[in-house]
Amino acid sequence: MPTETTDTGLELTTPEGVPAPNVAGAVETVASHLHPTPSWDLADHPEPTGREEVWRFTPMKRIRPLLRAEVTSDNLTWQTSLPAGVSLTSIDSEQARELAVEAPLDRVSALAAQNAGYAALLDIPAESELSEPVLLTGTGTGGVVSDHMVIRVGAFSKATVILHYKGDVTFAEKLDVRVGDGAKVSIVTLQDWDDTAVHGGQRSVLVGRDAHVKMVTTSLGGDVIRLQEDVRYAGPGGELEQYGLYFVDAGQHIQHRIFVDHNAPQTKSNVDYRGALQGDGAHSVWIGDVLIRKVAEGIETYESNKNLVLTDGCKADSVPNLEIETGEIAGAGHSSTTGRFDDNQLFYLMSRGIPEPEARRLVVHGFFVDIVRRIGVETVEARLMEAVEKELAVVAPTIEQQA
């Protein structure tokens, strides 16, 4: 049975097989026009104007509170369910920097690390095989909150970590995930905010040698969500499955920026994000960037983004990128599609007596099920499909009117 923990002791010993912490000053500058230079110094991240390439899709007025955030006493209210052996402890800012995968890439994540004051360290011991997921639920109760969390997964362990965010808050996030050699871990995040919440930040993952990482990011709530999600490899043999799901309502802005850095040979990545949009002013942004370095021979990568526009008045920006520095690769590709319903699917369903409005609803349902079923946690899958059903119930009358 999972147990609750209030342990506040500090344990910074690096488990065998977990990549060593960054050495100050040793961070290599990434040769990518979509990946700014990392820095812990806030002065290196001036407030953007919106004309910069990495900010041009962002509604600057609505996200500005995150760009000018100051230290506050507000925090998320956390509920935890931790299987035996897993610990959640507090560490100071210097220790968090040493354990981080990379320094902040933008002003929001730099402020998150600076204003948090301390960080949370979630530690999964080496060779653990968790039969139940690690569940952290953070609830916002208003105000501006800065948060820095480090997740450290020991070598050859098997685990699922679920981060569930809900409530109302202006939330600046810095999340670092270090996955040990040979580990197999799933990281699931649910952005299930109230309609007025604003969420921005940076999530960085380091995949150990021969490790397998599955990441699932779902964004279903909030007024504005802007997340930078970065992955790199600590050695050959690492594999990444990265999936995303978002449902954008009227007036809502959801933006996911993906960066996969193939900096080691014989590594793999498969990225698949899918979103549906409905209502006037609904806006999604997906930027996918894969960098294949000269040393990354024999790698395989594919990135895909699909957007389903349900009503008039929506906008979906989708920009896949491949930056290749070596031709000695097993395969690389990308795709992006944005459109309305598949006429062939609609015809198939209607030819079997299903009314057109219901047929359209089933098409949307199937569009998301393909991603949800890959999570591998039945309770989470059921929760997400329930949320999708609620969204479909809202949009169904509009779909019927436009049919």
Side-chain angles (χ1 to χ4, degrees):
M1 293 294 292
T3 58
E4 299 294 324
T5 179
T6 56
D7 181 16
T8 57
L10 299 182
E11 176 57 54
L12 296 180
T13 303
T14 302
E16 181 180 357
V18 174
N22 291 335
V23 178
V27 178
E28 179 185 359
T29 300
V30 177
S32 169
H33 72 289
L34 292 174
H35 194 86
T37 302
S39 174
W40 293 102
D41 188 350
L42 185 60
D44 292 332
H45 303 288
E47 184 174 331
T49 64
R51 294 187 293 272
E52 300 84 356
E53 175 60 30
V54 296
W55 288 97
R56 68 185 180 93
F57 292 106
T58 305
M60 301 306 296
K61 290 183 179 179
R62 292 159 65 185
I63 204 170
R64 188 150 289 135
L66 288 179
L67 302 172
R68 300 177 180 178
E70 298 180 353
V71 177
T72 69
S73 58
D74 294 329
N75 207 337
L76 298 180
T77 301
W78 287 99
Q79 293 180 322
T80 64
S81 179
L82 306 180
V86 178
S87 64
L88 181 64
T89 60
S90 298
I91 57 177
D92 63 36
S93 298
E94 287 303 316
Q95 293 166 327
R97 291 187 182 191
E98 291 175 357
L99 288 171
V101 173
E102 63 182 344
L105 295 167
D106 60 24
R107 187 174 179 84
V108 174
S109 55
L111 281 169
Q114 174 180 287
N115 292 345
Y118 68 94
L121 172 63
L122 179 68
D123 223 339
I124 299 174
E127 301 183 2
S128 299
E129 291 196 23
L130 305 184
S131 59
E132 298 184 21
V134 178
L135 176 60
L136 305 180
T137 302
T139 303
T141 56
V144 179
V145 173
S146 298
D147 183 84
H148 188 184
M149 179 180 293
V150 179
I151 299 175
R152 186 168 59 179
V153 181
F156 305 106
S157 58
K158 296 180 180 180
T160 296
V161 179
I162 301 172
L163 299 174
H164 185 193
Y165 300 102
K166 61 182 183 178
D168 179 27
V169 71
T170 299
F171 185 59
E173 176 189 19
K174 176 78 166 72
L175 175 66
D176 293 276
V177 182
R178 308 183 68 86
V179 179
D181 296 345
K184 186 175 182 179
V185 61
S186 296
I187 307 293
V188 181
T189 65
L190 289 76
Q191 285 69 240
D192 191 18
W193 299 112
D194 291 349
D195 292 341
T196 53
V198 177
H199 180 186
Q202 172 185 337
R203 297 169 174 176
S204 305
V205 180
L206 182 63
V207 182
R209 186 185 184 100
D210 296 321
H212 185 279
V213 176
K214 180 190 292 184
M215 296 177 62
V216 182
T217 303
T218 62
S219 298
L220 300 173
D223 178 47
V224 177
I225 294 176
R226 184 188 191 274
L227 295 174
Q228 175 72 46
E229 302 169 90
D230 287 19
V231 179
R232 55 174 45 81
Y233 300 84
E239 295 187 24
L240 168 71
E241 294 180 74
Q242 188 169 2
Y243 304 119
L245 180 156
Y246 48 90
F247 206 121
V248 192
D249 291 321
Q252 190 179 13
H253 178 97
I254 293 181
Q255 181 173 168
H256 293 281
R257 308 184 67 89
I258 316 302
F259 179 69
V260 180
D261 184 359
H262 280 279
N263 58 336
Q266 305 299 323
T267 51
K268 296 180 179 180
S269 67
N270 179 38
V271 178
D272 188 351
Y273 273 61
R274 300 187 186 187
L277 300 89
Q278 65 94 12
D280 189 42
H283 186 195
S284 69
V285 179
W286 184 87
I287 309 293
D289 188 24
V290 175
L291 173 63
I292 303 173
R293 296 178 184 268
K294 187 175 183 179
V295 70
E297 297 183 355
I299 70 97
E300 293 182 52
T301 181
Y302 196 86
E303 59 174 345
S304 173
N305 177 228
K306 299 179 178 69
N307 296 289
L308 189 58
V309 179
L310 303 180
T311 68
D312 294 334
C314 306
K315 181 179 181 181
D317 288 300
S318 181
V319 186
N321 300 277
L322 277 173
E323 302 182 65
I324 304 175
E325 297 180 354
T326 177
E328 301 297 324
I329 59 177
H334 59 66
S335 64
S336 172
T337 60
T338 298
R340 294 188 179 273
F341 299 95
D342 188 317
D343 291 336
N344 290 329
Q345 291 178 333
L346 285 176
F347 176 79
Y348 176 86
L349 293 171
M350 293 172 64
S351 68
R352 279 151 181 79
I354 299 175
E356 184 172 352
E358 178 63 14
R360 290 175 178 270
R361 179 182 168 279
L362 289 174
V363 170
V364 179
H365 191 277
F367 178 75
F368 281 126
V369 164
D370 192 41
I371 290 292
V372 173
R373 65 180 176 80
R374 303 181 195 183
I375 294 175
V377 180
E378 291 185 5
T379 55
V380 176
E381 292 177 359
R383 182 184 303 165
L384 283 178
M385 290 314 303
E386 181 181 355
V388 170
E389 289 293 343
K390 289 181 179 179
E391 295 283 0
L392 290 176
V394 172
V395 73
T398 305
I399 293 178
E400 186 173 358
Q401 291 171 8
Q402 297 185 5

